Amino acid sequence: MSKTRHVVARVDDVPPGTRKKIAVAGRDIALFNLGGAFFALGDKCPHESGSLCAGKVVGLAEADEPGRYRLSRDGEFVKCSWHGWEFGIRTGQSWCDPANTRARAYEAGVERGAALVKGPYVADTFPVAVEQDYIVIDL
Amino acid sequence: MKVPYPGAIDCDLHLPLPGMAQLAPFIDAFWREQFLTRRIDRMDFALTSFPARTPLGAREDWQATREGETPLDKLRREALDPHGTRIAVASILHGAIGLYNDDMAAVLCSAVNEHMARDWLDHEPRLRGSILVVASSPEHAVREIERVAPDERFVQALTLVMGDTLPGKRALWPIYRACEKRGLALAIHAGSLYRQAPTGSGWPSFHVEDYVGQSTAFENAIVALLAEGVFNEFPDLRVVCLESGFTWLPTLLWRLNKEWRGVRQEVPWLDRLPSEVVRERVRLTLQPVDAPPDGVQLRKTLAQIACDDMILFSTDYPHAQFAGEEALPDGLPDDLIRKILIDNPMASYPRLVAEKKGGRP
Amino acid sequence: MNAPLVDTTASQRLAFVDCDIHPIQRSLADLFPYMSARWVAHAKSIGPHIRQGLSAMQAHPRMMAAGQRADAYPERGGPPGSDLALMQRQHLDNAGVEIGMLVSLSKGGMEERNTEYARVLSHAVNDWQIEAWVRPEPRLRAGIVVPQEDPEFAAKEIRARARAIPPSGK
């Protein structure tokens, strides 16, 4: 089945470091702005379906040895709001079990409104203006 | 079933508690006088965790000594020969470790270790020793490990699972550092010093509660070792759980892995599946087998443990864990029997690994 | 003629009441006559269950003979305080004790974790004090031992013992 590109939000609606929960074609999606780049994850933790969008965006806790704590990759992970499992925002992969435990990741991008009005985009929830930038995701 | 072929390595065998007369040659003049004048020489140094007369204590048919038989003869007849044992890691659970005076405890531990070397290891080449240490005083413990370590026949340092503090705590790390450096395994034996109640909710009324609760204590110990970072800090340290049982392991491993996913940021040095670390670094002795005699159940549990390297053969002599010479539970696959009896022990104690490489017996 | 205020020719004797004398069993078997067969069996197999790491000794060994007079070990064996004849000779007669109160610290169920066994022990120790000490030696008085964390039983034991007629009939 071929993917459909959906226009889901104005770029201004999701400033860097924030996230927004959106509904697309009956699915809840967590949309993240990571330093100007957009990433979309199914808003459903693969563990027990908790909302990722409602979780905290965090860095990666590491240690070179017991008792020596370090935080790296600031803001690149989201902790599920229910049990605290960590998922990489870029990939949806869990940190603990990247191969098998992952949130659904969707391709997200930015398009000018001028390009969007030509179609074949689906923008069912709000009007698209030519001069605005929009976040689109493939679903 | 019986041990099917010779060569077994018995990883948990207990020698009788020496009396003060046997220890006296290994105690200096000051302490000998202390023990004499304070009538400490009359005390039995039995630990509450090992009540001598309970049905689970010494096996009835092993209580009598035959006429003219030395304690070593008796050990050979009852514990070593029947199973074709090639190596037996022996320990002496002496109440010295229950004393509050660390100096006195350390002197007695040294005497017990010397007694082990001179009165047992010197006379029976199949035996290997455990260094009894005062875990409540890492300074003393390290000194004793350093003192005894040149004697290669000692293969582990021995502590109880419930001491002054959880086994992972960093105050104890000097002991672990010394063990690692000297190629000694850290042996954690069932039992409590009763420095605090043996449960998190106070004092049970009955022995059965203390006894069954040992497996919980081992779970706590393993989690503490992992969480505090002992396995990170000491990459070559092996931990051997004695008289721990092992059928509780699958649920522990499962929960560890599960909870780790949510709370691992608290212990970020724990940077891979906890179950993998436990499978690599923790060993558990066979007896007492805490499974029904039906081999089907046991096989299921072993499949859930999903690691053939962890279980080490033990008789737990002279405790009453099996009848006759049936030291192995039924239902074990043949290749696993071999691993439990020989391969796992030989791979688990750094000093046995070294012996093997060095071609010594 | 004035009589002296104090008759200095009368013989004088200092007699006193010793409120803290510790009797002890030679071994636990001394208590068996005061226990049911079921609890004797328990004592022989399961044994004590207490709140310390060393089951039959102090974890802080005292400086003198487990805290006792080193010259009080009876010749026939057993711990100090386990031999009435020695206690009479060494202490009651020697010091002129008129009344000696027994404080039976050991094995009185005070430290036993098994509630029912603790009751049995305290009851047995109370019987044993009367039979082994107070009856043969009228100068002695028994002190009721109770498991102090078991107030219901303790109160019952105290009431029962307090109502009992003293063995000397006094």
Side-chain angles (χ1 to χ4, degrees):
Chain A
M1 206 175 99
S2 67
K3 285 179 179 169
T4 307
R5 179 158 274 205
H6 296 262
V7 183
V8 295
R10 275 186 298 272
V11 165
D12 297 347
D13 291 342
V14 191
T18 69
R19 67 226 117 117
K20 184 181 167 70
K21 182 171 172 170
I22 51 177
V24 183
R27 293 182 215 190
D28 287 333
I29 287 176
L31 188 59
F32 296 87
N33 182 335
L34 200 61
F38 292 93
F39 299 95
L41 302 178
D43 192 33
K44 199 176 188 183
C45 178
H47 175 219
E48 296 276 6
S49 305
S51 166
L52 297 179
C53 199
K56 290 265 187 271
V57 171
V58 297
L60 182 66
E62 292 179 293
D64 296 321
E65 58 187 83
R68 294 178 71 94
Y69 305 84
R70 181 158 46 79
L71 197 67
S72 65
R73 299 174 65 182
D74 183 33
E76 291 190 26
F77 292 83
V78 60
K79 269 166 74 94
C80 173
S81 59
W82 283 8
H83 302 99
W85 293 22
E86 300 154 284
F87 296 88
I89 288 170
R90 293 175 194 280
T91 62
Q93 289 175 303
S94 66
W95 190 86
C96 289
D97 182 21
N100 302 307
T101 305
R102 51 202 305 168
R104 179 78 185 268
Y106 301 97
E107 212 158 296
V110 174
E111 292 286 358
R112 270 319 270 188
L116 292 175
V117 288
K118 296 181 194 152
Y121 302 101
V122 178
D124 22 275
T125 48
F126 51 88
V128 171
V130 176
E131 68 279 10
Q132 278 271 350
D133 285 339
Y134 292 89
I135 306 164
V136 295
I137 65 172
D138 295 326
L139 200 63
Chain B
M1 62 179 280
K2 290 181 181 164
V3 174
Y5 38 78
I9 296 161
D10 183 348
C11 298
D12 185 33
L13 167 147
H14 303 292
L15 302 176
L17 283 190
M20 202 57 89
Q22 288 165 282
L23 297 180
F26 314 118
I27 297 173
D28 71 24
F30 172 83
W31 284 105
R32 267 207 314 273
E33 191 171 282
Q34 288 281 307
F35 294 145
L36 188 73
T37 58
R38 295 164 71 173
R39 304 302 198 275
I40 295 168
D41 55 342
R42 298 176 186 222
M43 297 172 181
D44 68 359
F45 285 93
L47 287 161
T48 299
S49 282
F50 312 106
R53 298 181 301 269
T54 53
L56 284 161
R59 211 169 94 171
E60 253 177 50
D61 57 333
W62 286 339
Q63 292 190 5
T65 301
R66 289 182 185 167
E67 206 168 314
E69 189 180 51
T70 66
L72 180 56
D73 293 336
K74 180 170 149 64
L75 184 83
R76 286 171 176 148
R77 175 173 60 82
E78 291 176 341
L80 300 178
D81 299 342
H83 313 295
T85 300
R86 188 169 77 83
I87 293 175
V89 181
S91 57
I92 297 176
L93 295 165
H94 192 274
I97 55 175
L99 295 169
Y100 286 100
N101 180 335
D102 291 336
D103 293 326
M104 187 192 289
V107 160
L108 273 171
C109 281
S110 291
V112 169
N113 295 330
E114 278 307 292
H115 160 73
M116 164 88 79
R118 302 282 87 80
D119 299 334
W120 293 96
L121 305 186
D122 282 356
H123 302 281
E124 174 48 72
R126 282 174 285 183
L127 290 179
R128 298 294 180 280
S130 308
I131 307 175
L132 187 68
V133 296
V134 193
S136 46
S137 170
E139 187 190 332
H140 286 93
V142 168
R143 207 181 301 154
E144 182 63 5
I145 289 170
E146 291 295 332
R147 189 187 71 80
V148 179
D151 187 339
E152 299 275 341
R153 299 170 303 177
F154 284 88
V155 299
Q156 61 188 11
L158 182 69
T159 64
L160 291 192
V161 69
M162 287 179 273
D164 287 77
T165 182
L166 274 169
K169 293 297 259 185
R170 294 179 192 175
L172 301 173
W173 284 14
I175 301 176
Y176 305 156
R177 186 167 292 119
C179 285
E180 186 189 47
K181 186 176 111 196
R182 292 300 196 156
L184 295 159
L186 171 69
I188 303 180
H189 196 284
S192 176
L193 296 179
Y194 292 102
R195 296 291 200 248
Q196 50 263 319
T199 80
S201 321
W203 293 90
S205 299
F206 305 108
H207 281 292
V208 63
E209 294 170 88
D210 289 29
Y211 193 79
V212 174
Q214 297 297 327
S215 57
T216 317
F218 275 102
E219 294 194 38
N220 295 340
I222 289 173
V223 176
L225 290 165
L226 273 170
E228 294 276 354
V230 169
F231 296 121
N232 302 76
E233 187 74 8
F234 307 108
D236 296 325
L237 182 72
R238 283 301 173 97
V239 174
V240 180
C241 299
L242 303 172
E243 272 178 56
S244 53
F246 54 87
T247 60
W248 42 266
L249 207 52
T251 50
L252 176 74
L253 295 181
W254 195 89
R255 284 204 69 204
L256 267 171
N257 285 354
K258 164 101 187 295
E259 302 301 343
W260 173 70
R261 292 181 177 215
V263 301
R264 60 136 221 111
Q265 300 95 336
E266 191 188 20
V267 286
W269 44 88
L270 200 49
D271 55 4
R272 60 197 177 108
L273 272 181
S275 61
E276 286 177 13
V277 182
V278 173
R279 286 185 180 114
E280 281 175 20
R281 308 291 292 283
V282 177
R283 299 290 174 262
L284 308 100
T285 52
L286 182 70
Q287 295 286 357
V289 180
D290 49 348
D294 165 18
V296 178
Q297 272 307 107
L298 184 61
R299 274 201 300 276
K300 274 187 195 164
T301 304
L302 290 167
Q304 288 167 345
I305 291 174
C307 176
D308 284 352
D309 304 331
M310 297 184 79
I311 313 293
L312 312 182
F313 175 62
S314 70
T315 57
D316 191 21
Y317 173 87
H319 299 147
Q321 308 296 11
F322 52 87
E325 296 174 0
E326 311 275 318
L328 287 173
D330 289 334
L332 297 175
D334 288 346
D335 51 345
L336 184 58
I337 288 178
R338 201 196 146 77
K339 293 204 77 172
I340 289 174
L341 285 174
I342 299 168
D343 300 344
N344 292 348
M346 287 309 286
S348 298
Y349 294 90
R351 289 192 165 189
L352 293 188
V353 174
E355 265 190 38
K356 199 175 171 186
K357 283 188 188 147
R360 267 172 293 157
Chain C
M1 191 173 137
N2 291 335
L5 201 58
V6 177
D7 179 2
T8 51
T9 60
S11 72
Q12 291 189 16
R13 187 174 66 89
L14 181 64
F16 60 90
V17 177
D18 182 347
C19 299
D20 192 19
I21 297 177
H22 302 295
I24 192 169
Q25 305 82 36
R26 287 189 69 193
S27 75
L28 190 60
D30 287 359
L31 296 180
F32 292 170
Y34 315 104
M35 293 161 61
S36 68
R38 183 252 180 273
W39 287 106
V40 170
H42 179 94
K44 285 181 177 169
S45 65
I46 305 288
H49 193 37
I50 59 175
R51 295 175 178 85
Q52 67 165 46
L54 291 160
S55 57
M57 60 178 278
Q58 294 150 332
H60 289 289
R62 300 290 185 268
M63 287 309 290
M64 282 301 294
Q68 301 167 89
R69 282 171 57 165
D71 63 349
Y73 281 95
E75 274 174 27
R76 62 169 189 165
S82 64
D83 186 319
L84 175 58
L86 180 60
M87 183 190 286
Q88 287 167 327
R89 191 172 73 244
Q90 194 172 46
H91 184 55
L92 302 180
D93 301 345
N94 192 38
V97 174
E98 197 157 281
I99 294 176
M101 298 195 189
L102 299 177
V103 177
S104 184
L105 288 179
S106 182
K107 307 243 169 37
M110 285 178 278
E111 55 182 5
E112 173 59 42
R113 286 202 247 157
N114 179 328
T115 305
E116 194 55 39
Y117 186 42
R119 292 177 173 187
V120 167
L121 283 173
S122 75
H123 191 80
V125 167
N126 291 333
D127 279 347
W128 167 81
Q129 289 184 71
I130 299 293
E131 299 305 325
W133 297 88
V134 178
R135 262 190 222 288
E137 174 47 87
R139 283 175 288 184
L140 295 176
R141 302 289 183 275
I144 305 166
V145 294
V146 290
Q148 62 207 37
E149 286 165 16
D150 183 4
E152 192 186 339
F153 170 82
K156 197 172 133 212
E157 178 73 5
I158 291 167
R159 276 191 217 102
R161 297 287 173 184
R163 271 198 298 271
I165 299 163
S168 62
K170 283 178 201 162

Short mmCIF file of all heavy atoms in Angstrom, two decimals, chain B residues 100-121:
data_model
loop_
_atom_site.label_atom_id
_atom_site.label_comp_id
_atom_site.label_asym_id
_atom_site.label_seq_id
_atom_site.Cartn_x
_atom_site.Cartn_y
_atom_site.Cartn_z
N TYR B 100 31.22 -9.01 67.60
CA TYR B 100 31.23 -7.58 67.31
C TYR B 100 32.63 -6.98 67.41
O TYR B 100 32.88 -5.91 66.87
CB TYR B 100 30.29 -6.83 68.26
CG TYR B 100 28.84 -7.04 67.92
CD1 TYR B 100 28.07 -7.95 68.63
CD2 TYR B 100 28.24 -6.34 66.88
CE1 TYR B 100 26.74 -8.16 68.31
CE2 TYR B 100 26.91 -6.53 66.55
CZ TYR B 100 26.17 -7.45 67.27
OH TYR B 100 24.85 -7.65 66.96
N ASN B 101 33.48 -7.61 68.16
CA ASN B 101 34.85 -7.12 68.28
C ASN B 101 35.62 -7.58 67.04
O ASN B 101 35.97 -8.75 66.90
CB ASN B 101 35.48 -7.70 69.56
CG ASN B 101 36.91 -7.25 69.76
OD1 ASN B 101 37.61 -6.92 68.81
ND2 ASN B 101 37.34 -7.25 71.02
N ASP B 102 35.85 -6.65 66.12
CA ASP B 102 36.46 -7.02 64.84
C ASP B 102 37.85 -7.62 65.00
O ASP B 102 38.24 -8.50 64.24
CB ASP B 102 36.56 -5.79 63.93
CG ASP B 102 35.19 -5.32 63.47
OD1 ASP B 102 34.24 -6.13 63.44
OD2 ASP B 102 35.05 -4.11 63.16
N ASP B 103 38.61 -7.13 65.98
CA ASP B 103 39.96 -7.67 66.19
C ASP B 103 39.89 -9.14 66.62
O ASP B 103 40.61 -9.99 66.11
CB ASP B 103 40.70 -6.87 67.26
CG ASP B 103 40.99 -5.45 66.79
OD1 ASP B 103 41.25 -5.27 65.58
OD2 ASP B 103 40.97 -4.53 67.63
N MET B 104 38.99 -9.38 67.57
CA MET B 104 38.84 -10.76 68.05
C MET B 104 38.33 -11.65 66.92
O MET B 104 38.82 -12.77 66.71
CB MET B 104 37.86 -10.80 69.23
CG MET B 104 37.78 -12.16 69.89
SD MET B 104 36.39 -12.30 71.05
CE MET B 104 36.92 -11.24 72.38
N ALA B 105 37.36 -11.14 66.17
CA ALA B 105 36.80 -11.91 65.07
C ALA B 105 37.88 -12.24 64.05
O ALA B 105 37.97 -13.37 63.55
CB ALA B 105 35.66 -11.12 64.41
N ALA B 106 38.73 -11.24 63.76
CA ALA B 106 39.76 -11.44 62.74
C ALA B 106 40.78 -12.48 63.19
O ALA B 106 41.22 -13.32 62.40
CB ALA B 106 40.45 -10.12 62.43
N VAL B 107 41.15 -12.43 64.46
CA VAL B 107 42.12 -13.40 64.99
C VAL B 107 41.56 -14.82 64.88
O VAL B 107 42.25 -15.75 64.48
CB VAL B 107 42.45 -13.04 66.47
CG1 VAL B 107 43.03 -14.24 67.18
CG2 VAL B 107 43.39 -11.86 66.52
N LEU B 108 40.29 -14.95 65.21
CA LEU B 108 39.68 -16.28 65.14
C LEU B 108 39.52 -16.74 63.70
O LEU B 108 39.71 -17.92 63.39
CB LEU B 108 38.33 -16.27 65.86
CG LEU B 108 38.41 -16.54 67.35
CD1 LEU B 108 37.06 -16.30 68.01
CD2 LEU B 108 38.85 -17.99 67.61
N CYS B 109 39.15 -15.81 62.81
CA CYS B 109 39.04 -16.19 61.40
C CYS B 109 40.39 -16.68 60.88
O CYS B 109 40.47 -17.69 60.17
CB CYS B 109 38.57 -15.00 60.55
SG CYS B 109 36.80 -14.70 60.65
N SER B 110 41.45 -15.96 61.23
CA SER B 110 42.78 -16.40 60.81
C SER B 110 43.08 -17.80 61.33
O SER B 110 43.63 -18.64 60.61
CB SER B 110 43.86 -15.45 61.36
OG SER B 110 43.77 -14.21 60.74
N ALA B 111 42.71 -18.03 62.58
CA ALA B 111 42.97 -19.34 63.17
C ALA B 111 42.18 -20.42 62.45
O ALA B 111 42.69 -21.52 62.17
CB ALA B 111 42.63 -19.32 64.66
N VAL B 112 40.94 -20.10 62.12
CA VAL B 112 40.11 -21.07 61.39
C VAL B 112 40.73 -21.36 60.03
O VAL B 112 40.80 -22.51 59.59
CB VAL B 112 38.67 -20.53 61.24
CG1 VAL B 112 37.86 -21.39 60.26
CG2 VAL B 112 37.97 -20.47 62.59
N ASN B 113 41.21 -20.31 59.36
CA ASN B 113 41.81 -20.50 58.04
C ASN B 113 43.11 -21.30 58.13
O ASN B 113 43.39 -22.15 57.27
CB ASN B 113 42.05 -19.14 57.37
CG ASN B 113 40.74 -18.43 57.09
OD1 ASN B 113 39.72 -19.07 56.86
ND2 ASN B 113 40.76 -17.10 57.12
N GLU B 114 43.89 -21.06 59.17
CA GLU B 114 45.11 -21.84 59.37
C GLU B 114 44.79 -23.29 59.67
O GLU B 114 45.45 -24.21 59.17
CB GLU B 114 45.94 -21.25 60.52
CG GLU B 114 46.80 -20.07 60.12
CD GLU B 114 47.68 -20.38 58.91
OE1 GLU B 114 48.60 -21.21 59.04
OE2 GLU B 114 47.40 -19.81 57.84
N HIS B 115 43.78 -23.48 60.51
CA HIS B 115 43.32 -24.84 60.82
C HIS B 115 42.90 -25.55 59.53
O HIS B 115 43.24 -26.72 59.30
CB HIS B 115 42.15 -24.74 61.82
CG HIS B 115 41.26 -25.94 61.88
ND1 HIS B 115 41.64 -27.12 62.47
CD2 HIS B 115 40.00 -26.14 61.42
CE1 HIS B 115 40.64 -28.00 62.38
NE2 HIS B 115 39.65 -27.43 61.74
N MET B 116 42.19 -24.83 58.67
CA MET B 116 41.78 -25.40 57.37
C MET B 116 43.01 -25.87 56.59
O MET B 116 43.05 -26.98 56.06
CB MET B 116 41.00 -24.32 56.61
CG MET B 116 40.81 -24.56 55.14
SD MET B 116 39.36 -25.53 54.74
CE MET B 116 38.05 -24.33 54.86
N ALA B 117 44.03 -24.99 56.55
CA ALA B 117 45.21 -25.30 55.74
C ALA B 117 46.01 -26.46 56.35
O ALA B 117 46.35 -27.42 55.66
CB ALA B 117 46.09 -24.05 55.61
N ARG B 118 46.27 -26.35 57.66
CA ARG B 118 47.19 -27.31 58.29
C ARG B 118 46.52 -28.64 58.59
O ARG B 118 47.13 -29.70 58.44
CB ARG B 118 47.74 -26.72 59.60
CG ARG B 118 48.48 -25.41 59.45
CD ARG B 118 49.89 -25.60 58.92
NE ARG B 118 49.95 -25.64 57.46
CZ ARG B 118 49.93 -24.56 56.67
NH1 ARG B 118 49.85 -23.36 57.17
NH2 ARG B 118 49.99 -24.70 55.35
N ASP B 119 45.28 -28.60 59.06
CA ASP B 119 44.65 -29.83 59.53
C ASP B 119 43.79 -30.51 58.47
O ASP B 119 43.39 -31.66 58.65
CB ASP B 119 43.80 -29.53 60.78
CG ASP B 119 44.65 -28.97 61.92
OD1 ASP B 119 45.86 -29.27 61.93
OD2 ASP B 119 44.13 -28.22 62.77
N TRP B 120 43.49 -29.83 57.39
CA TRP B 120 42.67 -30.44 56.34
C TRP B 120 43.39 -30.44 54.99
O TRP B 120 43.66 -31.49 54.42
CB TRP B 120 41.31 -29.72 56.23
CG TRP B 120 40.46 -29.91 57.43
CD1 TRP B 120 40.33 -29.07 58.50
CD2 TRP B 120 39.59 -31.03 57.71
NE1 TRP B 120 39.45 -29.59 59.43
CE2 TRP B 120 38.98 -30.79 58.97
CE3 TRP B 120 39.28 -32.21 57.03
CZ2 TRP B 120 38.08 -31.68 59.54
CZ3 TRP B 120 38.37 -33.10 57.59
CH2 TRP B 120 37.79 -32.84 58.84
N LEU B 121 43.69 -29.24 54.46
CA LEU B 121 44.25 -29.18 53.11
C LEU B 121 45.58 -29.92 53.01
O LEU B 121 45.87 -30.57 52.00
CB LEU B 121 44.42 -27.73 52.66
CG LEU B 121 43.19 -26.81 52.72
CD1 LEU B 121 43.50 -25.45 52.10
CD2 LEU B 121 41.99 -27.44 52.04
#
